[in-house]
Amino acid sequence: MLDEMDVKILKVLQQDTTRAVADIGKEVGLSTTPCWRRIQKLEEAGVIQRRVALLEPTKVNAGVTVFVQIKTDQHSLEWLEKFHAAVVDFEEVVEFYRMSGDIDYLLRVVVPDIAAYDAFYKKLIGRIEIAKVSSTFAMEQIKYTTALPLDFVLEDAQHSKRT
Amino acid sequence: MLDEMDVKILKVLQQDTTRAVADIGKEVGLSTTPCWRRIQKLEEAGVIQRRVALLEPTKVNAGVTVFVQIKTDQHSLEWLEKFHAAVVDFEEVVEFYRMSGDIDYLLRVVVPDIAAYDAFYKKLIGRIEIAKVSSTFAMEQIKYTTALPLDFVLEDAQHSKRT
DNA sequence: GTTGAAAATCAATGCAC
DNA sequence: GTGCATTGATTTTCAAC
């Protein structure tokens, strides 16, 4: 489905969407029109999901990341749906995964400080019954990127056939 | 530093940067010119860091998330710098935190499948000496957003005074 | 802060090759 | 796939209020 040229374009757009189509074309070795058409197709195909602004966490008072590991004893469908909906609703929760292994769920929570995390924690356990919660604070964010690895796109022939 | 109007604008831009300035102005209750000026200031101030495209993970063959917990026994500055640089270099590593508590580092790694994770794992431990590595696979990504919580921006007077 | 409007840039399309 | 030319939209900058 995607070829090397698409990958080049996606690599640029994953880093910066402010650049003009003509500019991107120059970088990847394509003139404006075909470059523009490829971007359109990538959007229609849903490969490009959305274009967003990334903010500097410390400048919006959201510089502290906490990872919350959750273990539950409840496994009814009803509880599950309620739990998911409740957690998703918190804007402090920026990532939320159902995990394999020992821990059932993993949350990445973003707050201004420890006090705010405590407030979040109380809100969370107030709304839902959880068996075990364990919070770990990030001391430093060494890397954070929204850019997905693109070296796998072309590698796997099986994948191309599937999609 | 930031007021309610800025927060409204940021909320829009965190979700979608394709919208025209005039449009955003309408939504937040501002005409084009002052809305445009505010966005400029937010960019100059570094509140808006960048504008990027978000891709659909499954469509670029990067649908599997693995969390890697790392514990080390080495704490020399030299090892630390080498370790950081090596990990950051992997495009599969999309997030990388130095943690408090029991685990020293936490990585979020994105790969196409388990086999690719195994390949990554071998590359990782081949490059650096790590005491303990524990990998946990995400079964489901229930929430993932790049939008930071903005309800804290105005709340804390201390913060405003500091920045 | 507002409106309105002008100028520059760019997206988006069509056409010829 | 390329180049060119065009239309329309949007950004960006100006005035005047």
Side-chain angles (χ1 to χ4, degrees), chain A residues 22-39:
Chain A
D23 238 43
I24 299 170
K26 241 176 247 168
E27 180 166 331
V28 303
L30 219 56
S31 57
T32 312
T33 312
C35 185
W36 183 82
R37 271 199 283 249
R38 275 171 184 270
I39 294 172

Side-chain angles (χ1 to χ4, degrees), chain B residues 44-80:
Chain B
E44 281 161 29
V47 178
I48 298 172
Q49 244 187 349
R50 56 201 329 205
R51 290 154 185 261
V52 300
L54 302 182
L55 310 186
E56 171 67 45
T58 58
K59 304 224 173 180
V60 292
N61 205 17
V64 173
T65 280
V66 189
F67 283 93
V68 183
Q69 298 179 318
I70 293 177
K71 224 174 135 60
T72 177
D73 40 16
Q74 309 216 19
H75 291 286
S76 73
L77 190 65
E78 195 205 337
W79 179 88
L80 220 134

